[in-house]
Amino acid sequence: MATLNFTKGQGTGNDFVLFTDPDGEIELTPQQVAAICDRRFGVGADGVIRAVRSRSLDDGAAALAEDPDAEWFMDYHNADGSLSEMCGNGIRVYAEYLSAEGLVDFEPGDTLPIGTRSGVRDVQRNMAGYQVDMGRWALDGGEPLVRAKELDVARPGLGINVGNPHIVVALAEEAELDRVDLNYIPVIEPHPEDGANVEFVVPAEPLVKDGVGSIRMRVHERGSGETLSCGTGAVAAALAIRHYAGRSAPHQWRVTVPGGTVVVRMFPTEDGEHVSLSGPAELVYTGALELA
């Protein structure tokens, strides 16, 4: 049996098991990832993040071609062992981990490029945590119907891609949001070929205060189930509600999830509109695990 030295981290309740493998020598199987993430028989997490140098794996080659300074790659697996393109909370925790482990020199105000399967993401450290430039986003095709347990009828969703696929469903009131049973996988019609995260969102009352929009969200993450937070989901939710609200809608949003609050901001760049995600990141404990 091999020993895996790991660190547990979380960002607004979205929790991860992280470990260092700079040369890409440790290849966990999907079954091992699922066992680690099991909350009764394993460590318990929404996903596993391997800290690996971009040069040490095939997916990292594209990151280095995009930005030669993207030394480190976030190799992220969902709780069921499947690969994920991007994780907005996970990349903040990953940045904190790289800094704490002495793998990068990352002071407040610095920006760190990190490779992901969605491309390079720039992470900036500040006094409140981390801000991630999530890059460009896109509407992702139509308004599929979403069925969920304890919702009386199917609701239209808005497809948004922020490096990974999301379907955002706007609900009318807090009681509906509280009632949705996300122990069951929402049914999307038509079903996306690669699946999608599903966010259920209720706008605050008032929606906008002092130029900042506010929404509340719950999420069922593809491959992980309901989580206390989803960074890319918060971004998708804010983008969807801004889209529905129209031209007068603000470009900064507070998104409240069961695990806390994150801030989403939309801003123009030379290659189109980008969106950023800001929030805390915390390392909780370290340990060693015997792998079967």
Side-chain angles (χ1 to χ4, degrees), residues 12-280:
T12 55
N14 212 182
D15 59 342
F16 312 94
V17 169
L18 305 100
F19 69 97
T20 302
D21 180 28
D23 298 322
E25 298 173 335
I26 303 172
E27 290 288 349
L28 297 180
T29 66
Q31 293 76 20
Q32 287 174 318
V33 171
I36 291 169
C37 292
D38 190 294
R39 297 192 182 278
R40 291 177 175 84
F41 297 99
V43 178
D46 293 324
V48 171
I49 299 174
R50 177 172 63 154
V52 58
R53 287 194 172 92
S54 295
R55 67 168 187 251
S56 299
L57 75 171
D58 292 341
D59 287 333
L64 289 172
E66 181 180 345
D67 186 341
D69 291 329
E71 177 185 5
W72 291 95
F73 190 93
M74 183 178 74
D75 184 23
Y76 180 67
H77 289 72
N78 296 311
D80 65 355
S82 60
L83 286 174
S84 182
E85 301 91 342
M86 175 58 184
C87 180
N89 289 322
I91 199 168
R92 297 198 318 273
V93 175
Y94 183 51
E96 175 73 4
Y97 175 77
L98 292 175
S99 179
E101 291 293 301
L103 299 173
V104 297
D105 185 11
F106 196 22
E107 299 297 328
D110 289 349
T111 298
L112 178 70
I114 293 175
T116 79
R117 291 185 175 85
S118 291
V120 175
R121 297 292 181 260
D122 290 332
V123 183
Q124 185 176 61
R125 190 170 194 169
N126 55 43
M127 298 306 294
Y130 295 89
Q131 177 176 287
V132 186
D133 182 345
M134 305 287 283
R136 297 181 65 181
W137 64 279
L139 291 175
D140 209 12
E143 291 191 344
L145 288 178
V146 178
R147 302 181 186 277
K149 189 172 176 61
E150 304 303 335
L151 275 187
D152 48 0
V153 295
R155 307 297 172 88
L158 184 66
I160 289 185
N161 193 299
V162 290
N164 57 357
H166 295 263
I167 305 294
V168 181
V169 180
L171 301 178
E173 58 185 17
E174 298 271 346
E176 279 192 316
L177 184 63
D178 293 334
R179 190 167 63 243
V180 176
D181 188 347
L182 295 183
N183 290 308
Y184 297 84
I185 301 173
V187 176
I188 306 168
E189 302 172 347
H191 186 74
E193 181 178 352
D194 297 322
N197 295 357
V198 181
E199 288 78 32
F200 296 90
V201 184
V202 171
E205 183 59 47
L207 176 63
V208 180
K209 183 177 180 180
D210 298 327
V212 179
S214 294
I215 56 177
R216 182 176 162 229
M217 180 192 92
R218 290 175 61 197
V219 58
H220 188 284
E221 289 198 58
R222 174 190 57 170
S224 295
E226 181 174 16
T227 58
L228 294 180
S229 182
C230 174
T232 54
V235 169
L239 287 165
I241 299 304
R242 186 189 67 161
H243 174 80
Y244 288 137
R247 292 180 178 273
S248 62
H251 300 299
Q252 184 166 323
W253 294 79
R254 290 173 57 85
V255 182
T256 299
V257 294
T261 299
V262 294
V263 175
V264 176
R265 184 172 66 90
M266 303 83 170
F267 57 95
T269 73
E270 291 182 356
D271 65 339
E273 185 177 65
H274 282 215
V275 59
S276 71
L277 174 71
S278 300

